[in-house]
Amino acid sequence: MSRNVHGFDLEARLNRRTFLKGCAMAAAALGLSDDMFPKLVKAASSPRRPPVVWLHFQECTGCTEALLRASHPDIGRLILDIISLDYHETVMAAAGNQAEENLRSTLERYNGRFLCVVEGAIPTKDGGIYCKIGGRTAMEILEDVAPKSAAVIAIGTCASFGGVQAASPNPTGAVGVRDLFNARPVINISGCPPNPVSFLGTVLHFLTFKRLPPTDQLGRPLFAYGRRIHDHCERRPHFDEGRFADQFGDSGHREGYCLYKLGCKGPETYSNCPTVRFNDVGAWPVGIGHGCIGCTEPRFWDTMTPFYERLPHVSIPGTNGISSSADSAGSKILGITAAAIGIHAAAGIGKRFLKNKPAETDNT
Ligand code: FSX
Ligand code: SF4
Ligand code: F3S
């Protein structure tokens, strides 16, 4: 089945099994209980899909790429299945005046009811002239669109905190959405790029409970950014035992030892990367041998660089007899257990639901 959205055909309908697997993954990421799962599936299956206006400002489009090219299981298609993507400059067929007309008519038709997704930072210097689309600055577009939305999702570290554009000396005065706008709820799905499951979970939470999920003080959903990378990392037992890779390719690196001395910023970074991972190969940066560069954190281009030098304020085993600061073996065990629960929950919820619902054939 395909839908036509302002000239954009979405070959997005998934078979039931894949659809439920994706919902189960989002439910597990959200930490929902089993009895909430049918409610989430019902919300995701609703024929009344929420209209989405997706704005692109200063960015590399990696957030969109990560989302639309995601598998695990085919998160991109699932997202296109549960929302109505009415305006998105990268993927819509319309261009020029027709694209502008699409935006105008969507705002008029769905005033107060659509989700506004912002990808990219907003330049503010010199009246915002460093990012203009259709003759309007990013600031003007945001000021036009965001107040008419039901809620705003800032996707990526650029839209959340300014990202690479805001790195010192920030020549265009780039800022994140919340620095300019707070008349509607704004949630930050940070990461460069962020994990599509965090975006999916946020949208499904909004559809199921009619509100955005609870956030930390940086506006990031707690379900995805409430835990520190270091506490869930599979290399953490090596950290605790003082086993470190000293160089890329050395024996410690090949043995999977901790990457702290190679510059890993996991001890100061909050994200679900070690537990949710990326795509169906289950990879994440530290898992494949590169330290975390802290891409979910504000100003990480300034505060987490040089990327290949160790963090200065982390107590490591064997120094002053202290293990890692606020994170003892207890939180390590808790973290590993939580990760295991997350994975099992996704598999278990999906299986239980599938038992009662026969799989349908792919109808795309
Ligand atoms: Fe920023 Fe998104 Fe980094 Fe790129 O567009 S968060 S530069 S991966 O992709 O905004
Ligand atoms: Fe994992 Fe990095 Fe922490 Fe080492 S420093 S345990 S590699 S997050
Ligand atoms: Fe980014 Fe670190 Fe995760 S670099 S993708 S927050 S492991």
Side-chain angles (χ1 to χ4, degrees), residues 260-275:
Y260 168 71
K261 291 184 177 176
L262 295 177
C264 180
K265 305 301 187 289
E268 293 185 0
T269 303
Y270 288 78
S271 185
N272 54 9
C273 307
T275 50

Side-chain angles (χ1 to χ4, degrees), residues 89-358:
E89 287 151 13
T90 311
V91 298
M92 66 187 180
N97 289 337
Q98 192 192 353
E100 295 307 305
E101 174 53 26
N102 284 354
L103 179 58
R104 197 199 56 74
S105 65
T106 301
L107 300 187
E108 201 174 283
R109 193 162 164 211
Y110 299 110
N111 197 345
R113 290 183 288 140
F114 66 91
L115 276 174
C116 173
V117 178
V118 179
E119 183 173 348
I122 304 109
T124 59
K125 196 174 168 190
D126 299 329
I129 59 168
Y130 300 106
C131 179
K132 292 181 97 173
I133 300 149
R136 294 193 295 171
T137 65
M139 280 198 297
E140 287 171 323
I141 296 170
L142 186 71
E143 279 162 15
D144 176 27
V145 176
K148 300 184 175 93
S149 70
V152 179
I153 299 176
I155 189 165
T157 298
C158 300
S160 300
F161 309 123
V164 66
Q165 295 76 208
S168 181
N170 193 357
T172 65
V175 298
V177 173
R178 278 162 52 117
D179 294 319
L180 283 180
F181 177 80
N182 60 11
R184 288 277 183 281
V186 180
I187 198 162
N188 289 331
I189 312 294
S190 64
C192 189
N195 195 312
V197 174
S198 303
F199 178 78
L200 175 67
T202 300
V203 171
L204 281 175
H205 188 284
F206 186 78
L207 296 185
T208 307
F209 303 107
K210 313 298 176 216
R211 63 178 187 277
L212 292 170
T215 65
D216 65 10
Q217 59 193 16
L218 295 170
R220 304 177 298 192
L222 284 168
F223 78 84
Y225 301 89
R227 290 175 291 181
R228 199 172 58 144
I229 297 245
H230 190 53
D231 297 329
H232 299 267
C233 177
E234 66 237 35
R235 294 177 192 253
R236 179 61 183 271
H238 292 302
F239 176 92
D240 289 341
E241 294 299 325
R243 292 188 293 265
F244 299 97
D246 290 310
Q247 286 182 12
F248 286 102
D250 71 6
S251 58
H253 190 240
R254 291 199 301 276
E255 290 291 329
Y257 287 0
C258 172
L259 303 174
Y260 168 71
K261 291 184 177 176
L262 295 177
C264 180
K265 305 301 187 289
E268 293 185 0
T269 303
Y270 288 78
S271 185
N272 54 9
C273 307
T275 50
V276 174
R277 305 185 176 207
F278 292 81
N279 296 319
D280 49 7
V281 290
W284 68 293
V286 173
I288 58 173
H290 194 286
C292 168
I293 61 169
C295 79
T296 57
E297 298 300 317
R299 300 186 58 244
F300 80 95
W301 294 97
D302 294 329
T303 60
M304 300 293 190
T305 46
F307 288 137
Y308 296 101
E309 284 182 19
R310 67 185 73 173
L311 283 168
H313 306 300
V314 177
S315 301
I316 61 173
T319 55
N320 307 322
I322 309 168
S323 186
S324 51
S325 49
D327 32 74
S328 56
S331 66
K332 176 183 71 181
I333 292 163
L334 188 68
I336 290 167
T337 310
I341 289 169
I343 293 159
H344 278 290
I349 292 171
K351 270 185 199 153
R352 275 189 294 284
F353 204 74
L354 281 165
K355 263 187 195 167
N356 302 325
K357 307 270 176 182

